[in-house]
């Protein structure tokens, strides 16, 4: 099981996403870096603790008020994984590092900060094709950035 989070700034109308190579997608013909929400496996941690650590490791943000919004099975016909979905508001002063992931885990992650409108346009034009990220961005469009 895993957790995923969408950090957002209401004031600036931005979200924090990451870009990285996803080998299974590459093997299936997707040769671009995958644009995604910050996510990670639970590794015997609580979903909230794990997603806070992932936000620091991947995006460089120490998030305060992490809020769980729902859980979902992403592909229940083929895998057992359940995702715990979170959102959290962020401010520039919460940035504690560059992010980028953990080198010892083979992570090479780029942090991006599009506006919500730019992120939604990335879904429409095919630059964002990751299901969990699409779900979080649509949730944010309907419930946060009204």
């Amino acid at each position: 099981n895993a957790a995923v989070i969408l950090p957002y700034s209401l004031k600036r109308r931005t979200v924090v996403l990451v870009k990285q190579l996803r080998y299974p997608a590459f093997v299936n013909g997707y040769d671009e870096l995958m644009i995604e929400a910050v996510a990670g496996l639970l590794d015997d941690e609580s979903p909230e603790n794990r997603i806070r650590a992932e936000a620091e490791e991947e995006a460089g943000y120490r998030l305060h008020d992490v809020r769980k919004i729902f859980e979902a099975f992403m592909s229940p016909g083929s895998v057992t994984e359940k995702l715990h979905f979170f959102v959290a508001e962020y401010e520039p002063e919460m940035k504690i590092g560059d992010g980028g992931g953990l080198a010892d885990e083979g992570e090479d992650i780029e942090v991006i900060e599009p506006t919500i409108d730019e992120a939604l346009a990335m879904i429409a034009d095919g630059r964002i094709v990751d299901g969990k990220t699409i779900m979080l961005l649509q949730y944010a469009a309907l419930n946060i950035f009204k």
Side-chain angles (χ1 to χ4, degrees), residues 15-66:
V15 296
V16 173
L17 300 172
V18 295
K19 292 172 76 171
Q20 61 186 313
L21 176 69
R22 290 299 196 178
Y23 186 72
F26 176 77
V27 170
N28 199 20
Y30 189 79
D31 60 357
E32 302 292 327
L33 295 179
M34 188 74 62
I35 299 173
E36 301 177 59
V38 169
L41 297 175
L42 296 184
D43 294 331
D44 297 321
E45 282 281 342
S46 72
E48 184 174 311
N49 286 344
R50 191 65 233 141
I51 203 56
R52 286 178 185 279
E54 288 292 335
E56 289 184 21
E57 292 168 12
E58 292 189 2
Y61 282 92
R62 180 162 293 149
L63 301 173
H64 302 297
D65 298 320
V66 171

Side-chain angles (χ1 to χ4, degrees), residues 12 25 56 90-91 106:
R12 294 178 17 231
E56 289 184 21
Y90 74 96
E91 298 293 336

Side-chain angles (χ1 to χ4, degrees), residues 56-98:
E56 289 184 21
E57 292 168 12
E58 292 189 2
Y61 282 92
R62 180 162 293 149
L63 301 173
H64 302 297
D65 298 320
V66 171
R67 182 168 53 98
K68 187 171 184 178
I69 53 173
F70 54 80
E71 298 175 7
F73 289 96
M74 296 305 294
S75 189
S78 60
V79 294
T80 60
E81 182 182 55
K82 177 172 53 174
L83 260 65
H84 301 262
F85 288 76
F86 293 87
V87 294
E89 193 159 10
Y90 74 96
E91 298 293 336
E93 60 271 11
M94 293 176 180
K95 189 137 178 84
I96 61 165
D98 293 333

